[in-house]
Amino acid sequence: MKVTVERSELLRSLSHVHRVVERRNTIPILANVLIRADRAELAFKATDLDLEIIETIPAEVSGAGVTTVPAHMFYEIVRKLPEGAQITLDATGDRAVLVIRAGRSKFTLQTLPESDFPDLAAGDMTHAFMLPAADLKRLIDKTQFAISTEETRYYLNGIYLHVAGQGAGATLRAVATDGHRLAQVEFPAPDGTEGMPGVIIPRKTVGEVHRLIEDPSGEVKIELSTTKIRFSLGPVVLTSKLIDGTFPDYGRVIPAGNDKLLEVEKHDFEQAVDRVSTVSSERGRAVKLSLSGSKLVLSVTNPDSGSATEEIEVGYDSDPLDIGFNSRYLLDIAAQIEGDTAILRLADPGSPTLIQDKDAKGALYVLMPMRV
């Protein structure tokens, strides 16, 4: 194999591909990226056995071939080479090495045979549809923060993607929850989603797809079955196993009868919560909201360090109410509000609160209260 490629093209592709490779591997081949040169293209492939990424870039191929090299080391070498460099990859010798040349620099990397490289056999995908990249990015942005990191409840370690409703009113809905908070966002269901199974997309896959959306004006092809999902973004194809589990009946958690309506100016509220939570303990993080008329008093008391209070003007005309929340969770949700005003629908100090964006439709958040 002998290939010449422009550094910026190679670096961009490797920056996508090397992230899938785990830093610690008990199986040596999984630390490598597979490189395939054919015709006028160079293809890279990496996997962790649950997730597989393939990216193809144009290149000047003077000798076709295939090999595998350590992914992170290869990426670091290319990253440190000067901008604008022409890089030659050469694996034509008898020894199992890849020689990388650029200007006066020369690196020799040990290779492993490509026959050892695993293939994530995707099988038949039963459903396929197109989604604007901007919609997919928004869908992830609005839900990713609520994905659980608790490994014991593995079925919460991802985003639940499914179709809600039927006919013309059907929506493609994404839900994530960690038991303390829930995020839900939906769009009109695109063609091809009819009858698709509800799937749980793993947290790592969600993060990689989000990073790959560099041009929000494009479109993403999504293919899925009951066990796998594939995202095609231009020259990049990401295939992933799905979480094999049943997502809980999240609809029961979304409150329907919360009759106390609170309207807050998003920026003022966010800043106030951030300021008073400075004195909260790492473990507690509780902020108390005291509502009375058009006045909201935010307070934090930490026995070890002190206390803080701040008062802001709000829209509220129900009975006085004191309720506590985890300040970090409150800030996470506030960050998702696109408009100027957030609406909090409250019931009592022990019941979940529904939070929505007054201006943007299609997204809602549920937050469990804390004792304060």
Side-chain angles (χ1 to χ4, degrees), residues 32 56 61 88 90 95 104 139 150 165 175 249 265-266 284 288 305 326 342 354 363:
N32 280 19
T56 308
V61 179
T88 303
D90 189 350
R95 294 187 305 132
R104 297 181 183 181
L139 182 149
E150 197 181 312
V175 181
D249 180 7
E265 204 284 317
K266 178 242 171 152
K288 181 179 174 184
S305 59
N326 179 307
L354 183 66

Side-chain angles (χ1 to χ4, degrees), residues 265-332:
E265 204 284 317
K266 178 242 171 152
H267 183 72
D268 290 351
F269 180 67
E270 201 173 16
Q271 296 277 312
V273 171
D274 193 27
R275 278 193 287 268
V276 297
S277 65
T278 309
V279 300
S280 67
S281 67
E282 272 299 310
R283 199 169 54 83
R285 295 187 183 276
V287 58
K288 181 179 174 184
L289 279 62
S290 301
L291 280 158
S292 180
S294 61
K295 188 172 75 172
L296 168 62
V297 177
L298 298 142
S299 59
V300 171
T301 304
N302 182 348
D304 299 325
S305 59
S307 61
T309 61
E310 184 160 341
E311 185 182 307
I312 58 173
E313 292 292 315
V314 295
Y316 182 76
D317 58 6
S318 297
D319 297 333
L321 176 72
D322 287 356
I323 188 168
F325 294 110
N326 179 307
S327 58
R328 185 165 57 84
Y329 293 170
L330 210 48
L331 288 170
D332 283 345

Side-chain angles (χ1 to χ4, degrees), residues 131 134-145 159-164 171-176 182-188 250 254 336 338 360-365:
L131 201 62
D135 283 358
L136 181 58
K137 187 174 189 304
R138 183 171 182 266
L139 182 149
I140 294 172
D141 279 337
K142 301 281 174 214
T143 52
Q144 187 178 26
F145 72 93
I159 290 176
Y160 180 46
L161 188 69
H162 60 296
V163 173
T171 58
L172 183 66
R173 183 182 289 175
V175 181
L182 177 144
Q184 173 187 304
V185 64
E186 60 188 6
F187 303 99
Y250 63 89
I254 300 171
Q336 308 311 317
E338 295 169 18
K361 301 289 181 270
L364 64 84
Y365 309 94

Side-chain angles (χ1 to χ4, degrees), residues 13-23 46 53 71-72 75:
S13 184
L14 287 175
S15 70
H16 298 155
V17 173
H18 91 284
R19 287 194 305 253
V20 169
V21 179
E22 295 291 345
R23 289 272 178 190
I53 185 168
H72 293 290
Y75 168 72

Side-chain angles (χ1 to χ4, degrees), residues 3-82:
V3 188
T4 303
V5 63
E6 213 275 313
R7 173 195 176 266
S8 61
E9 286 278 353
L10 185 57
L11 181 64
R12 184 167 172 271
S13 184
L14 287 175
S15 70
H16 298 155
V17 173
H18 91 284
R19 287 194 305 253
V20 169
V21 179
E22 295 291 345
R23 289 272 178 190
R24 291 178 181 172
N25 269 303
T26 52
I27 307 169
I29 194 70
L30 292 182
N32 280 19
V33 57
L34 181 129
I35 309 168
R36 187 183 300 277
D38 192 19
R39 299 187 182 92
E41 288 183 337
L42 192 59
F44 300 97
K45 180 174 168 183
T47 185
D48 65 0
L49 295 182
D50 291 321
L51 187 63
E52 177 186 275
I53 185 168
I54 300 171
E55 181 161 1
T56 308
I57 60 170
E60 190 184 305
V61 179
S62 49
V66 59
T67 189
T68 80
V69 293
H72 293 290
M73 191 174 289
F74 187 25
Y75 168 72
E76 285 299 325
I77 288 169
V78 175
R79 188 178 68 81
K80 291 173 182 178
L81 287 171

